[in-house]
Amino acid sequence: MRQLNSYNISNYVPILSEKKKIGWIHKSRSKLIRQKNESSSNIHFKQILDYSRKLKSLKRPEFCPVFNYDSLNPKFQFHPKEKFCDGKLFQIERNNLSSFGFPAYGVHCNVWSKYKNSTIIHFARRSKQLKSFPSFFDNPIAGGQPCGISIIDNLYKEAREEAGLSVSDLRYAKKSKTVHYIHNYKKKLNSSILFIYHLEKKDDLQFINQDGEVEKFISVEINKIYEILEKKILKPNSIIPILDFFILKESDFIPKKVMLEIKKITKTYD
């Protein structure tokens, strides 16, 4: 499993918009885009757009925005209730973002609850039919941020599709941090930004998957989370909202021994 925030761009060519390096493409793939005798120092984003139109599309493609910001230092500030595409340079199919090192945005909502003297973290077990991370543990609510809707509306959409939750069920969800991380994977550069939310699960809240991407929902006591990390069955970026929750609540009800174990494991979570 790859490290979440470890990357090397020495074998990548920048994709330019004016003087900004809005993306990165591996040198071995850049040859498919260049014209003969063309300089190898960089590629203009319009060449990427021309090339991406030739790629095989999904049956139901989801389009995401690319902003006029450096990929390694992406646009970070957004109003959660405003349309996410405003100010975009262009849009591209979501499944092509990492191929060109364009920043990918998404929402992740960690769900927790109190049971007697224990704190419970709730997970979704991903379907074994999924191409990426089949059967891994994931946050119950998570998904990429497409064009056309706000961050908060995307949170509502993902909550409905993945967990069968209504807008009313999300009324207690609290926005936390926005986190950026970067890693290389299979000649791709993943520059990803997560909008993190936390939701306390009430007794009457029931999870029911609607889109077939979740096999089942699992509840784990907080002092057992390190066992999931040791087995490396947690989808890598899902650890970020969990750690954010630990940091927020550490002084409240997380045993110091558990925190020490988790910090030790996450240092080698690769």
Side-chain angles (χ1 to χ4, degrees), residues 28-260:
S28 63
R29 302 189 71 239
S30 67
K31 297 174 183 178
L32 301 173
I33 298 171
R34 300 184 182 288
Q35 301 296 322
K36 289 183 178 180
N37 302 320
E38 193 173 6
S39 168
S40 61
S41 60
N42 57 66
I43 292 175
H44 194 271
F45 78 87
K46 290 184 179 179
Q47 294 173 271
I48 298 296
L49 289 178
D50 291 339
Y51 175 75
S52 66
R53 294 187 185 104
K54 302 174 186 177
L55 298 177
K56 184 178 180 180
S57 296
L58 299 174
K59 290 183 179 179
R60 287 181 161 182
E62 187 174 68
F63 287 90
C64 297
V66 177
F67 300 98
N68 198 26
Y69 280 72
D70 287 333
S71 175
L72 304 183
N73 188 25
K75 186 175 181 180
F76 211 72
Q77 300 296 325
F78 297 89
H79 192 288
K81 294 184 179 181
E82 292 179 356
K83 186 182 292 186
F84 190 72
C85 280
D86 288 350
K88 71 181 184 299
L89 184 64
F90 59 90
Q91 64 183 35
I92 194 169
E93 288 187 35
R94 179 185 171 192
N95 61 310
N96 291 331
L97 287 171
S98 61
S99 297
F100 306 123
F102 296 138
Y105 295 85
V107 293
H108 273 240
C109 185
N110 176 61
V111 184
W112 66 282
S113 62
K114 291 287 291 182
Y115 179 72
K116 295 183 178 179
N117 294 325
S118 297
T119 301
I120 308 298
I121 300 293
H122 302 277
F123 292 97
R125 187 76 177 261
R126 293 165 63 84
S127 168
K128 61 174 65 73
Q129 306 302 323
L130 293 177
K131 290 183 179 181
S132 62
F133 303 104
S135 298
F136 272 59
F137 284 40
D138 201 350
N139 303 123
I141 303 167
Q145 178 64 45
C147 286
I149 62 174
S150 67
I151 295 168
I152 194 67
D153 284 338
N154 190 40
L155 177 70
Y156 295 153
K157 178 179 77 71
E158 294 296 336
R160 181 179 65 254
E161 294 175 353
E162 297 196 350
L165 302 182
S166 67
V167 172
S168 178
D169 292 328
L170 270 290
R171 64 188 181 278
Y172 298 117
K174 295 181 179 180
K175 176 70 173 69
S176 186
K177 294 180 177 63
T178 299
V179 176
H180 177 223
Y181 65 94
I182 312 174
H183 61 258
N184 302 103
Y185 182 60
K186 293 184 177 179
K187 296 184 178 181
K188 297 179 180 180
L189 184 74
N190 293 270
S191 177
S192 300
I193 300 92
L194 298 186
F195 305 113
I196 299 175
Y197 288 80
H198 298 296
L199 174 66
E200 182 177 3
K201 181 180 181 295
K202 304 300 181 182
D203 291 339
D204 58 346
L205 200 65
Q206 300 296 319
F207 299 132
I208 304 174
N209 180 246
Q210 305 292 318
D211 60 8
E213 294 187 2
V214 174
E215 191 174 285
K216 61 181 178 179
F217 295 95
I218 299 169
S219 303
V220 179
E221 284 192 60
I222 202 164
N223 60 357
K224 300 293 184 182
I225 296 293
Y226 72 91
E227 296 178 0
I228 297 174
L229 295 174
E230 285 181 332
K231 294 177 182 177
K232 297 185 178 180
I233 55 174
L234 178 63
K235 185 170 173 281
N237 65 353
S238 298
I239 195 174
I240 296 175
I242 300 294
L243 289 176
D244 181 65
F245 177 76
F246 287 170
I247 292 168
L248 289 174
K249 299 294 185 179
E250 179 178 356
S251 61
D252 294 344
F253 43 67
I254 300 178
K256 290 184 178 180
K257 183 179 178 181
V258 174
M259 284 302 302
L260 289 172

Side-chain angles (χ1 to χ4, degrees), residues 6-42:
S6 177
Y7 67 97
N8 187 325
I9 57 173
S10 61
N11 290 317
Y12 290 77
V13 176
I15 300 168
L16 299 184
S17 169
E18 299 172 349
K19 294 183 179 181
K20 293 186 175 66
K21 298 174 182 178
I22 63 170
W24 296 85
I25 185 170
H26 197 271
K27 290 179 180 178
S28 63
R29 302 189 71 239
S30 67
K31 297 174 183 178
L32 301 173
I33 298 171
R34 300 184 182 288
Q35 301 296 322
K36 289 183 178 180
N37 302 320
E38 193 173 6
S39 168
S40 61
S41 60
N42 57 66

